Amino acid sequence: MLRLASVGSGSKGNATLVCSGETTLLVDCGFGAREMLARLVELDVDAADIDAILVTHEHSDHIGGVTAISKATGAPIYATHGSIISGKLESARRVVEIASDSTFAIGDIDVTAVTVPHDAREPVQYIFQHADKQVGVLTDLGTVSEHVLRAYSRCDLLLLEFNHDLEMLRRGPYPAALKRRVSGDFGHLNNQQALAMLNSLGDDLPQVVIAGHISEQNNAIDVVESLLEPMISSTDLTVIYATQSQGFDWVSPKSDDDISRVA
Ligand SMILES: [Zn+2]
Ligand SMILES: [Zn+2]
């Protein structure tokens, strides 16, 4: 069974684990090697079991610890050409270049790298398929393009960015230029954009959504909770909240048994 866990989620560092039982993948590492290795133990992951590290883009909250954890675990790094030439992987030993919008297999997981609108060189986010289940990771994008919506329309479980509340960002402490960057078309999804994406999915709404990359300055879990409340009470959607300090513990798509029990 495909499952997902996070070591931490937010602007200070991101690292997400995807595991099929046989194959373990790490998406990004914005944490130092020592902290990362300690947190892997908490999630019951043997660092030597990581088969590959997938980079989404070169911002330091995603790539900062990638080279170090690759050296510590021996796992190769998969990244787009733009991420590779950003200079952030210069001292890495094992780098595999991937094409945006391609699908490739690592062990028994099929990985699709989806192009997203974000202010990095060649940013992608990832969808994972194993057996009949699909799990998506979608953070760090300024708008939900048609391309993104189509690509993520079959997920059973989705880690989705609820970065900021627009009003909290406006009134918050960030300098004006940073506010413009965060809320811009190549910045981050605000709560309403993330909710609109879920609404657009209609019948293809995933059974489980993890709200992630939640800004500690410009958002709050209870704000996201009250926004999602109507959707949760009118569908069988389960929502989990990822935090900067803890990430979230292992979660799997609902089994077909669980779904038919609700239906
Ligand atoms: Zn980020
Ligand atoms: Zn970013």
Side-chain angles (χ1 to χ4, degrees):
M1 172 64 104
L2 205 53
R3 55 198 188 122
L4 193 72
S6 163
V7 159
S9 178
S11 57
K12 294 189 188 125
N14 296 274
T16 311
L17 289 151
V18 183
C19 181
S20 66
E22 197 177 299
T23 305
T24 304
L25 306 177
L26 174 64
V27 180
D28 293 332
C29 181
F31 302 99
R34 187 185 301 178
E35 185 178 2
M36 186 64 191
L37 292 170
R39 293 199 191 195
L40 286 175
V41 172
E42 279 173 40
L43 287 166
D44 234 0
V45 174
D46 185 342
D49 286 344
I50 295 176
D51 295 289
I53 303 161
L54 297 155
V55 171
T56 60
H57 64 297
E58 73 275 19
H59 290 158
S60 57
D61 57 322
H62 298 265
I63 210 169
V66 165
T67 298
I69 202 71
S70 170
K71 286 177 180 167
T73 60
I77 299 164
Y78 287 63
T80 62
H81 183 71
S83 296
I84 292 170
I85 63 169
S86 71
K88 301 283 181 64
L89 297 173
E90 259 167 3
S91 62
R93 292 194 195 114
R94 300 177 65 196
V95 182
V96 179
E97 185 174 317
I98 56 165
S100 299
D101 298 309
S102 65
T103 298
F104 48 94
I106 304 177
D108 60 359
I109 300 178
D110 285 337
V111 182
T112 302
V114 182
T115 302
V116 292
H118 189 55
D119 52 0
R121 300 292 174 92
E122 193 183 351
V124 290
Q125 294 290 320
Y126 293 101
I127 296 171
F128 305 93
Q129 170 104 31
H130 170 76
D132 63 341
K133 295 293 180 192
Q134 212 175 78
V135 166
V137 172
L138 183 59
T139 69
D140 296 72
L141 68 167
T143 45
V144 178
S145 60
E146 275 302 316
H147 175 66
V148 165
L149 194 61
R150 220 174 306 125
Y152 283 82
S153 65
R154 288 187 49 236
C155 289
D156 300 287
L157 189 154
L158 176 62
L159 166 57
L160 176 62
E161 172 168 67
F162 282 76
N163 182 264
H164 58 280
D165 173 84
L166 208 47
E167 206 39 50
M168 286 174 78
L169 176 71
R170 267 194 204 120
R171 281 189 271 115
Y174 278 13
L178 185 54
K179 288 181 183 182
R180 276 196 299 278
R181 195 221 132 211
V182 168
S183 62
D185 288 344
F186 297 92
H188 292 272
L189 288 189
N190 66 49
N191 293 342
Q192 294 293 344
Q193 287 173 296
L195 177 67
M197 174 179 172
L198 295 179
N199 276 319
S200 305
L201 289 172
D203 290 344
D204 297 320
L205 186 69
Q207 298 111 39
V208 183
V209 167
I210 299 147
H213 217 304
I214 298 172
S215 170
E216 292 182 306
Q217 298 267 4
N218 307 307
N219 207 356
I221 286 178
D222 59 351
V223 171
V224 181
E225 251 171 352
S226 54
L227 184 78
L228 287 173
E229 181 47 45
M231 182 176 273
I232 292 168
S233 55
S234 64
T235 64
D236 58 356
L237 176 69
T238 299
V239 179
I240 292 164
Y241 298 89
T243 64
Q244 181 67 78
S245 58
Q246 302 274 303
F248 55 88
D249 205 351
W250 288 106
V251 54
S252 294
K254 291 178 188 172
S255 70
D256 294 340
D257 276 4
D258 292 335
I259 297 162
S260 56
R261 235 176 281 142
V262 174

